[in-house]
Amino acid sequence: MSAVVEVTSAAPYSVTVGTDLLESAVDALPEAASRVLIVHSAPLRIRADALRVLIEASGRTPVLAEVPDAEAGKTAEVAAFCWQVLGKSDFTRTDVVMGLGGGAVTDLAGFVAATWLRGVAVVQLPTTVLAMVDAAVGGKTGINTTEGKNLVGSFHEPAAVWCDLDMLRTLPANDRVAGLAEVVKGGFIADARILELIEEHAAALSAADLDDATLAVLEELITRKIQVKADVVAADLKESHLREILNYGHTFGHAIEYTERYQWRHGAAVSVGMVFAAELARLAGRLDDASVDRHREILTSLGLPVTYQGNRWDALQTAMRRDKKTRGDMLRFVILAGIGNPVRLEGPDPSLLLSAYDAVSG
């Protein structure tokens, strides 16, 4: 059995969540596609080879592009390598790029597809919790520069997304937990049932081994979080207003990532970022104590960090001013005015920001 979330944006597509989905993903490729580029990282070479065999059996020509793992693969140089592979393989506008991997790979594959011949189809096969619930859905693609994360990119919606939960059975527990930070975010901004499920099953969700019962819980959590994102993306593809709520915890979280030179997992940074945003909301008189405490309790129960070192404020402020939500010199934050009620806070008093930072300083 599998669950399907329909993303009803300008270019509608389906996100399928289930097990044993690789063959279905190949069967659903556009008929006009004669070549398929599989962008993957080295740890997924065996999975990419299995995908290659299925594509060959379908009568198409597969081409593999192995890229560096994680954020090291999201560079202009790696994108240029993929463009070179596409050019040498005579890819046309009816051919397809497939992103097989975590969020960095799906971001890269989407960006390569968006920029080749001004846009070819991309099919995403995310292999981590984070990629399934965030990076592969919504059409945001991008690469990093030395100045910051995802500063170069485009909006390019996928033709389809296939979330094969079998990939999560071998995913290290730390990576699974880091991805759950984005799921928690979906609970705080929109779907409170997500928070309840995590409160009920936190120990199993963060355990080293993933049993069938916990995989079923993960399936519901992933599907619910994807539905949250699908609802927002359908209403606001290009982040003009509503879509900003998906950045809850990200302004401070991205600043941590930048300051730490991307040595922190994205989910760990966003976890601290959500606590920072909750404390900022409390200081601004928008969020009650119990809701702020609930942030710490849920995130801690999963083993996610809720504090950051206390001697980096100047560097963090500089990094936050690079955030995409900043307008001119005005910092903008997504905060909560209650569970499921995200709002914007523009240009908060510097003393509030410093107090919120003090509250998360470890």
Side-chain angles (χ1 to χ4, degrees), residues 83-105:
W83 293 326
Q84 184 179 48
V85 172
L86 289 168
K88 289 184 175 180
S89 303
D90 298 321
F91 267 63
T92 70
R93 283 183 172 156
T94 59
D95 295 324
V96 176
V97 174
M98 298 187 89
L100 175 69
V105 169

Side-chain angles (χ1 to χ4, degrees), residues 66-83:
E66 186 172 300
V67 299
D69 199 16
E71 297 297 321
K74 285 180 58 175
T75 67
E77 292 76 14
V78 176
F81 160 72
C82 293
W83 293 326

Side-chain angles (χ1 to χ4, degrees), residues 101-115:
V105 169
T106 57
D107 278 356
L108 172 70
F111 180 68
V112 168
T115 49

Side-chain angles (χ1 to χ4, degrees), residues 65-281:
E66 186 172 300
V67 299
D69 199 16
E71 297 297 321
K74 285 180 58 175
T75 67
E77 292 76 14
V78 176
F81 160 72
C82 293
W83 293 326
Q84 184 179 48
V85 172
L86 289 168
K88 289 184 175 180
S89 303
D90 298 321
F91 267 63
T92 70
R93 283 183 172 156
T94 59
D95 295 324
V96 176
V97 174
M98 298 187 89
L100 175 69
V105 169
T106 57
D107 278 356
L108 172 70
F111 180 68
V112 168
T115 49
W116 183 253
L117 299 176
R118 298 185 177 89
V120 299
V122 62
V123 173
Q124 302 287 21
L125 289 83
T127 61
T128 67
V129 173
L130 177 59
M132 289 178 185
V133 303
D134 187 49
V137 180
K140 286 173 71 172
T141 75
I143 56 176
N144 303 331
T145 71
T146 55
E147 288 71 35
K149 186 174 181 179
N150 295 326
L151 293 179
V152 177
S154 63
F155 290 96
H156 187 64
E157 295 181 271
V161 181
W162 299 84
C163 301
D164 192 337
L165 300 177
D166 289 327
M167 297 299 300
L168 304 183
R169 293 185 183 277
T170 56
L171 187 70
N174 285 343
D175 289 334
R176 186 197 323 140
V177 168
L180 285 171
E182 286 286 348
V183 179
V184 172
K185 180 196 75 178
F188 279 123
I189 66 173
D191 183 356
R193 180 57 183 154
I194 287 174
L195 303 179
E196 294 169 356
L197 284 168
I198 291 175
E199 287 167 333
E200 293 168 15
H201 302 282
L205 289 167
S206 56
D209 297 320
L210 188 61
D211 58 31
D212 289 343
T214 308
L215 191 67
V217 175
L218 261 179
E219 180 174 0
E220 181 175 358
L221 287 169
I222 288 168
T223 303
R224 282 181 173 275
K225 171 55 174 64
I226 290 171
Q227 187 66 63
V228 169
K229 187 163 187 179
D231 291 343
V232 173
V233 168
D236 179 14
L237 172 64
K238 296 192 175 181
E239 205 171 50
S240 60
H241 179 63
L242 177 63
R243 188 164 175 164
E244 283 191 349
I245 70 173
L246 297 175
N247 288 316
Y248 184 60
H250 282 60
T251 299
F252 192 79
H254 280 165
I256 291 176
E257 288 182 281
Y258 181 78
T259 302
E260 294 294 333
R261 302 184 187 277
Y262 302 107
Q263 296 306 299
W264 270 50
R265 286 183 172 88
H266 175 72
V270 168
S271 176
V272 179
M274 284 189 283
V275 179
F276 175 87
E279 290 287 357
L280 185 58

